[in-house]
Structure formats: structure tokens, C-alpha cells
Amino acid sequence: MSATLPPAAHIAAVSLLGPGLRDWPAAAEVLAGHAAWQPAPTVLTAPQILPPAERRRTGRMVKLALTLGLEAVAAAGADAATLATIFSSSSGDGLNCHQICEALASEDRQISPTRFHNSVHNAAAGYWSIATGATAPASVLCAHDASFSAGLLEAVVQVAVERIACLLIAYDTDYPAPLRSVRPVPDAFGVALLLTPKPAQGSFGRLSLQLTQACADRLHDPALEALRASIPAARSLPLLTAIARGQGGRVVLDYLDGTQLAADLAADSAGASSGLRNVAACR
């Protein structure tokens, strides 16, 4: 990748949902330092765009993924049915997995069809196609704690190579006890980025990616840093902080052991300053 120009894309829209971060406008105020973060459980609802039968069957992961995707598409005024989509999550629906294990441990051992089809990793992509009528290509990724960076790299490469818009939806949901003891994800968190090959009105800037051996950035705010470290999808927070502040510069994101992902953010027009005031060097 270093021998040629790094893959790049323009950020047309952002959506975010997580603990104490009810949407992107509210989260941007927090990440920009204009408001304090107030911890609160993530509230998830099934999007009304789904038919009633499917809406009743959705779990927390599907609700989160669809809400994020629909908000990003609406913010950009895009057509969800035509967008290539990347779904990236570190694992499956924790609550659904817990309930299947409970059923298997019972005397009955009957698993409902709804539980079964919600257990597959591409469930969110299926519900997305039902809700939006999407027929464009969709990819579903899992790279454990590196899933956000893996999804971002895949999405930016698709935009750069195919010259098409691509919607990245990265998301994780919590695990109940006793699974939480081995997978301690405390709550639901997700982000969606609509990436385009050319800048659009209201674009957040141009994003290019490179692999690096530099250590990943951390957040100065201890509470937000704890959130970043506790949920894999929240590894996106240093990049989202840069976007919220409207500043260019390099952010290094957690990726694989010994290899991180450097995200260089530049304005589409003159005027952006360099430096990420809310992002500290890794400790």
C-alpha cells in the first residue's frame, strides 16, 4: 500500500449512537468539547421502515445497525437502495446468543426460528435489504476488536477502486452475564460513515488510510477513553473527534497486533487547521 497513493474517500455523512450519545449532532458537541459527556444507557428502537412482522423480530444489533445506516443516508440525502454497504461488527448479537444457550441448556432444547436467523452474522444486512430494498453489493465483516478499522479500510478501498459511494456501518452490542465475563462489552455503540469518491455539499473532508506501526491514539477525556476501550466499535472515537472538531491531521486507530491504521483527514476546501486537540499520543 505504501508504494502507491493511499486509498482515499470523502466523508459525506456521519451517524453515531452509543451510551450518552443519542445521535451525531449531540455526540459532536461532546467530542468537540462543547458539552460534557453524561453516561446513559443506549436506547434502541426498531426503525419504522421495516414491515411490522420483521420489526417484531429484530434484536438489539439489527436495531442499532439499521438506525445508524438510515440516519447517515438521510443526512446525506442519499438513496439507500443504491448504496454499496459494509456491515462490520466484532461479534454477533450477544443477547440472542445468550437466549439460544439458555434454550440449549433447558430440557426442551427447542430453538425458535427467529432466534436462529438472528444468530447469523449477516442478519443486519438481510434486514437492511428488506427495509430499504437495497440491491447493491453488501459485505459483512468480523475482525474481533479490529472490526471498525477493518470495515473502514474495506469501505475506503471500495470507494477508491470502484469509484462508488459506500456506506460503512460498524456496531457492537452488549453481552449479558455470564457471557459478559469473557466478552465484557457493556453497552451498544455504533457509527455509520457514508463515503463517496468525490466531495459533496457539506462533506466532512477527505479521508485517506495507510497501515502504520505507530501506536494508536487515545482520548484525553478519561471517561470517553474508557468508552473507547470498552466497546470495539468505539475505537472509532479518535477519528470521530477529529471530524467533530473540523480539523485535519492524522489519527492512528487500533487495528491488528503490531499494525495500526493511520487515518489522514483533510478539508475539501482551504481553511482547516492541523492538529487534533482532543487526541493524545498513545500511552
Side-chain angles (χ1 to χ4, degrees), residues 72-165:
V73 168
D79 181 3
T82 65
L83 291 173
T85 312
I86 307 292
F87 295 86
S88 189
S89 178
S90 73
S91 51
D93 186 324
L95 178 59
N96 192 66
C97 182
H98 169 79
Q99 291 167 333
I100 289 176
C101 289
E102 280 190 325
L104 291 174
S106 70
E107 293 183 0
D108 186 10
R109 302 190 68 184
Q110 297 296 312
I111 299 173
S112 77
T114 296
R115 292 272 175 244
F116 180 76
H117 83 241
N118 279 334
S119 71
V120 297
H121 195 67
N122 63 352
Y127 281 102
W128 176 261
S129 66
I130 293 170
T132 65
T135 57
S139 300
V140 183
L141 303 180
C142 178
H144 200 242
D145 288 347
S147 293
F148 171 73
S149 289
L152 181 64
L153 183 58
E154 173 68 18
V156 171
V157 168
Q158 281 202 23
V159 173
V161 173
E162 303 294 339
R163 307 303 296 170
I164 58 172

Side-chain angles (χ1 to χ4, degrees), residues 63-79:
K63 292 175 182 177
L64 176 60
L66 265 63
T67 297
L68 291 164
L70 292 170
E71 288 186 358
V73 168
D79 181 3

Side-chain angles (χ1 to χ4, degrees), residues 146-190:
S147 293
F148 171 73
S149 289
L152 181 64
L153 183 58
E154 173 68 18
V156 171
V157 168
Q158 281 202 23
V159 173
V161 173
E162 303 294 339
R163 307 303 296 170
I164 58 172
C166 185
L167 177 64
L168 168 65
I169 309 175
Y171 50 95
D172 287 298
T173 56
D174 49 308
Y175 279 79
L179 293 174
R180 185 174 292 191
S181 65
V182 293
R183 188 61 174 154
V185 177
D187 204 346
F189 183 102

Side-chain angles (χ1 to χ4, degrees), residues 192-265:
L193 300 174
L194 178 55
L195 304 173
T196 58
K198 296 181 179 180
Q201 184 68 30
S203 171
F204 290 93
R206 180 180 182 272
L207 179 68
S208 61
L209 302 177
Q210 296 186 66
L211 299 179
T212 179
Q213 292 185 325
C215 48
D217 290 333
R218 305 290 186 261
L219 299 175
H220 279 311
D221 186 307
L224 289 174
E225 171 58 20
L227 178 63
R228 186 203 70 84
S230 65
I231 307 176
R235 306 293 200 274
S236 59
L237 281 171
L239 175 60
L240 297 174
T241 296
I243 295 171
R245 289 181 175 266
Q247 296 175 311
R250 169 165 287 195
V251 179
V252 180
L253 301 170
D254 278 316
Y255 190 30
L256 305 173
D257 290 342
T259 302
Q260 314 304 335
L261 188 65
D264 292 305
L265 187 63

